[in-house]
Amino acid sequence: MNENITALCPGSFDPVTYGHLDIITRAAGMFKKLIVVVASNSSKNCCFTPEERVELIKKCITGLDNVEVVHYDGLLADYAAKVGATAIIKGLRAMSDFEYEFQMALTNKELNPNVETLFLTTSAQNMYLSSSMVKQIASMGGNISHFVPSEIKQDIINRITTKK
Ligand code: PNS
């Protein structure tokens, strides 16, 4: 446990999946405080509002006392400076994630030299898992129980089916 470090775990989380929750849980065990930041990715059109995404995550992390969930609309590097965070935690699934994540890590370092990006390798069972897959399966009436916790399964189905 890193007693003095506040870390950020940023993402779109549209919606949160077991893959994200695995990274959040493992990172929570490594730092004094972990802030899950629901942020905007300009290249993605999100299905859930930021407030909905925050609520879905909160429902899944009730046992993690050192984890906070926030929505932030600006640059992640600025948010890190604002709250004194010095680490950004990202999950890596495959090489296909790497180039994009590497670019973001270098950009964030340039914008805020006090912050280091650390990568956690995804657990093997989540290698293939993505929020877009979950949305696609839910929209076609498939079973998403293997991908998201039961606490939020119905919320996701309701939201996706009312959006159609
Ligand atoms: O889950 P994602 O979509 O891969 O997460 C990407 C995210 C939201 C973490 C990234 O787009 C981000 O940090 N957005 C906030 C705005 C910002 O700081 N952009 C510059 C990042 S290099």
Side-chain angles (χ1 to χ4, degrees):
M1 166 86 66
N2 242 305
E3 288 301 334
N4 299 316
I5 295 184
T6 294
L8 306 181
C9 186
S12 306
F13 304 107
D14 187 52
V16 68
T17 67
Y18 276 134
H20 299 123
L21 292 167
D22 168 52
I23 300 295
I24 292 169
T25 307
R26 287 159 59 199
M30 295 166 63
F31 298 97
K32 180 187 71 168
K33 182 173 178 183
L34 182 75
I35 307 178
V36 178
V37 187
V38 173
S40 306
N41 180 340
S42 50
S43 59
K44 283 186 187 167
N45 254 331
C46 283
C47 171
F48 296 82
T49 67
E51 293 73 23
E52 285 170 334
R53 288 179 269 152
V54 167
E55 283 315 306
L56 290 174
I57 300 168
K58 281 185 177 170
K59 279 189 176 185
C60 301
I61 57 149
T62 47
L64 298 175
D65 295 337
N66 63 335
V67 179
E68 195 182 319
V69 189
V70 302
H71 164 231
Y72 188 71
D73 231 351
L75 287 172
L76 189 66
D78 291 344
Y79 184 73
K82 186 175 144 191
V83 297
T86 50
I88 294 173
I89 310 300
K90 296 286 310 220
L92 270 190
R93 284 170 302 188
M95 276 310 283
S96 50
D97 284 344
F98 185 74
E99 198 171 331
Y100 166 65
E101 293 294 346
F102 194 70
Q103 187 184 17
M104 275 202 292
L106 289 175
T107 308
N108 282 324
K109 186 78 181 158
E110 192 63 38
L111 294 172
N112 179 348
N114 295 321
V115 77
E116 295 290 349
T117 298
L118 306 171
F119 295 106
L120 294 184
T121 43
T122 187
S123 298
Q125 70 269 24
N126 299 321
M127 278 291 286
Y128 62 95
L129 188 45
S130 72
S131 298
S132 12
M133 209 72 95
V134 169
K135 285 181 281 191
Q136 197 175 123
I137 295 167
S139 72
M140 294 178 179
N143 181 7
I144 57 169
S145 306
H146 297 294
F147 314 124
V148 302
S150 53
E151 289 87 342
I152 61 168
K153 181 182 157 188
Q154 202 51 49
D155 295 330
I156 293 172
I157 293 169
N158 292 346
R159 184 71 172 84
I160 298 229
T161 47
T162 51
K163 231 194 160 179
K164 269 201 224 165

